[in-house]
């Protein structure tokens, strides 16, 4: 029902503003919906009379819902008939490039530090690479719809440069994430990570902490190279939240353990802040408006909320 509510609320907002432009926009919205459903809808003003407000939610008339339900049923059937596309496959080539670049970025002069820093970037120990995948897909979704003929090679060069900078955000995010894993394993006295023996069990707590610090320093160098203060602020905030969330976890009182609000706040700091701020950074680098950047942030946060119950 969420998409129906969203459409109904959009129409309610547009028509209720009483401005000609908003009303016309609402009519266009329903005209396009009618085309999809193979039906002709009445004017938006008439539909407004069939919209009932209830604490901000809106419900449309039963006839419209019936048509919408039929359309959704047809769409569901078509979707099942089509082969599902693996999101990881969409950016598989870029993920390989990122993996190689990450291994080169964590090289250190001291052999033991180098071995520790690259431990979770070696083949077979890279994990799901969930965060880089999401960020690369976000970068693709935020492409400006500009014709390829625009300025020819100049546009192609600019697009390539932007994509590389957005890839850098994916690399920085992964280094910050892995650094937090190394620190977490020390705090939790963990003996496995990503299906292999944890680094602290192999090399000890001290070297694990130093390896995590080294990865954070390399992430900072890469971040500074982007030359965008807003992006630097976003990623620095994410690092601050990681520390805050871990502190909340190790110092939780019995009363706080029973608080859902406390749990969600801690989970946001420990898990959601990094991916949501990284998604926003990708949008900022692309030059999108504050509204679009906020939507990218919200997407990252809500994506984590949807995965927390099965990925803890």
């Amino acid at each position: 029902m969420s998409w129906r509510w969203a459409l109904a609320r959009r129409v309610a907002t547009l028509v209720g503003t009483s401005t000609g432009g908003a009303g016309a926009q609402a009519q266009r919205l329903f005209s396009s919906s009618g085309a999809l459903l193979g039906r002709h809808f009445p004017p938006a003003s008439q539909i407004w009379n069939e919209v009932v407000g209830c604490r901000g939610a809106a419900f449309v008339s039963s006839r419209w819902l019936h048509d919408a339900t039929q359309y959704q049923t047809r769409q569901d059937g078509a979707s099942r008939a089509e082969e599902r596309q693996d999101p990881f496959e969409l950016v598989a080539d870029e993920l390989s490039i990122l993996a190689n670049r990450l291994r080169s970025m964590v090289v250190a002069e001291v052999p033991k530090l180098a071995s520790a820093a690259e431990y979770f970037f070696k083949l077979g120990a890279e994990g799901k690479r969930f965060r880089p995948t999401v960020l690369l897909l976000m970068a693709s979704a935020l492409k400006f719809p500009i014709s390829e003929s625009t300025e020819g090679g100049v546009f192609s060069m600019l697009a390539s440069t932007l994509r590389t900078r957005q890839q850098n955000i994916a690399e920085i995010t992964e280094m910050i994430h892995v650094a937090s894993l190394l620190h977490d394993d020390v705090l939790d006295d963990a003996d496995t990570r990503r299906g292999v023996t944890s680094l602290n069990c192999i090399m000890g707590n001290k070297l694990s902490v130093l390896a995590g610090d080294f990865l954070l320093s390399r992430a900072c160098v890469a971040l500074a190279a982007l030359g965008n203060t807003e992006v630097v602020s976003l990623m620095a905030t994410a690092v601050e939240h990681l520390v805050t969330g871990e502190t909340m976890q190790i110092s939780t009182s019995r009363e706080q353990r029973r608080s859902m609000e406390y749990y969600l706040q801690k989970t946001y700091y420990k898990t959601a802040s990094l991916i949501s701020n990284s998604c926003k950074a990708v949008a900022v680098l692309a030059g999108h408006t504050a509204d679009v950047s906020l939507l990218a942030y919200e997407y990252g946060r809500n994506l984590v909320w949807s995965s927390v119950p099965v990925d803890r």
Side-chain angles (χ1 to χ4, degrees), residues 152-199:
V154 174
F155 169 73
S156 178
M157 183 178 65
L158 291 174
S160 177
T161 300
L162 172 60
R163 188 69 179 194
T164 299
R165 286 163 63 81
Q166 291 171 324
Q167 289 173 353
N168 292 154
I169 293 295
E171 295 160 0
I172 291 165
T173 300
E174 188 66 4
M175 282 193 286
I176 292 173
H177 173 61
V178 172
S180 73
L181 297 183
L182 295 177
H183 290 165
D184 283 357
D185 286 347
V186 172
L187 291 170
D188 300 337
D189 197 23
D191 53 12
T192 60
R193 170 69 69 176
R194 291 181 171 176
V196 298
T197 305
S198 62
L199 183 64

Side-chain angles (χ1 to χ4, degrees), residues 4-16 22 25-26 29-30 58:
R4 300 167 192 155
W5 284 18
L7 183 56
R9 291 182 65 180
R10 182 61 176 155
V11 173
T13 301
L14 290 172
V15 182
Q25 188 177 353
L29 179 62
F30 264 80

Side-chain angles (χ1 to χ4, degrees), residues 12-312:
T13 301
L14 290 172
V15 182
T17 55
S18 72
T19 61
Q25 188 177 353
Q27 185 59 53
R28 286 195 299 272
L29 179 62
F30 264 80
S31 295
S32 60
S33 300
L36 287 172
L37 295 172
R39 295 188 57 86
H40 172 70
F41 287 110
S45 57
Q46 180 179 340
I47 292 176
W48 164 253
N49 295 327
E50 298 176 359
V51 176
V52 181
C54 181
R55 293 186 177 182
F59 299 87
V60 266
S61 66
S62 58
R63 180 177 179 181
W64 192 92
L65 284 177
H66 173 72
D67 293 334
T69 302
Q70 285 186 328
Y71 169 71
Q72 184 63 27
T73 301
R74 291 196 299 270
Q75 288 296 99
D76 290 343
S79 297
R80 283 192 295 270
E82 296 177 359
E83 183 180 355
R84 289 188 177 182
Q85 197 163 23
D86 184 355
F88 290 91
E89 288 297 323
L90 294 174
V91 291
D93 292 339
E94 281 185 284
L95 285 174
S96 296
I97 295 172
L98 260 64
N100 292 330
R101 216 148 55 193
L102 280 167
R103 281 190 281 271
S104 67
M105 292 171 72
V106 299
V107 173
E109 295 179 11
V110 181
K112 274 197 172 182
L113 180 58
S115 179
E118 70 178 9
Y119 187 71
F120 285 121
F121 294 109
K122 294 184 296 185
L123 290 174
E126 299 165 304
K128 298 184 293 291
R129 295 186 290 185
F130 169 76
R131 288 158 187 79
T133 299
V134 170
L135 294 173
L136 292 175
L137 291 173
M138 177 62 71
S140 297
L142 291 174
K143 281 183 180 178
F144 281 107
I146 303 176
S147 172
E148 293 184 3
S149 62
T150 305
E151 297 297 328
V154 174
F155 169 73
S156 178
M157 183 178 65
L158 291 174
S160 177
T161 300
L162 172 60
R163 188 69 179 194
T164 299
R165 286 163 63 81
Q166 291 171 324
Q167 289 173 353
N168 292 154
I169 293 295
E171 295 160 0
I172 291 165
T173 300
E174 188 66 4
M175 282 193 286
I176 292 173
H177 173 61
V178 172
S180 73
L181 297 183
L182 295 177
H183 290 165
D184 283 357
D185 286 347
V186 172
L187 291 170
D188 300 337
D189 197 23
D191 53 12
T192 60
R193 170 69 69 176
R194 291 181 171 176
V196 298
T197 305
S198 62
L199 183 64
N200 53 297
C201 280
I202 296 175
M203 297 187 172
N205 288 341
K206 291 181 180 179
L207 196 54
S208 292
V209 171
L210 291 174
D213 293 344
F214 176 74
L215 290 178
L216 287 175
S217 68
R218 283 299 171 94
C220 289
V221 171
L223 194 55
L226 291 174
N228 188 304
T229 55
E230 184 177 358
V231 170
V232 171
S233 179
L234 288 170
M235 302 308 293
T237 298
V239 174
E240 176 193 351
H241 287 170
L242 283 169
V243 177
T244 302
E246 191 61 42
T247 305
M248 291 174 69
Q249 178 162 299
I250 65 176
S251 60
T252 305
S253 67
R254 181 178 299 178
E255 189 66 29
Q256 288 169 333
R257 289 194 192 99
R258 294 196 291 264
S259 170
M260 178 57 71
E261 182 179 354
Y262 187 89
Y263 168 76
L264 292 175
Q265 187 65 48
K266 180 201 68 175
T267 302
Y268 168 75
Y269 285 148
K270 278 179 60 68
T271 309
S273 177
L274 179 59
I275 187 65
S276 56
N277 278 297
S278 297
C279 284
K280 185 174 181 179
V282 167
V284 170
L285 284 179
H288 284 282
T289 63
D291 288 342
V292 172
S293 298
L294 181 59
L295 288 173
Y297 169 89
E298 293 288 347
Y299 173 83
R301 186 180 66 172
N302 291 326
L303 186 64
V304 171
W305 288 148
S306 68
S307 65
V308 162
V310 295
D311 195 34
R312 294 301 293 166

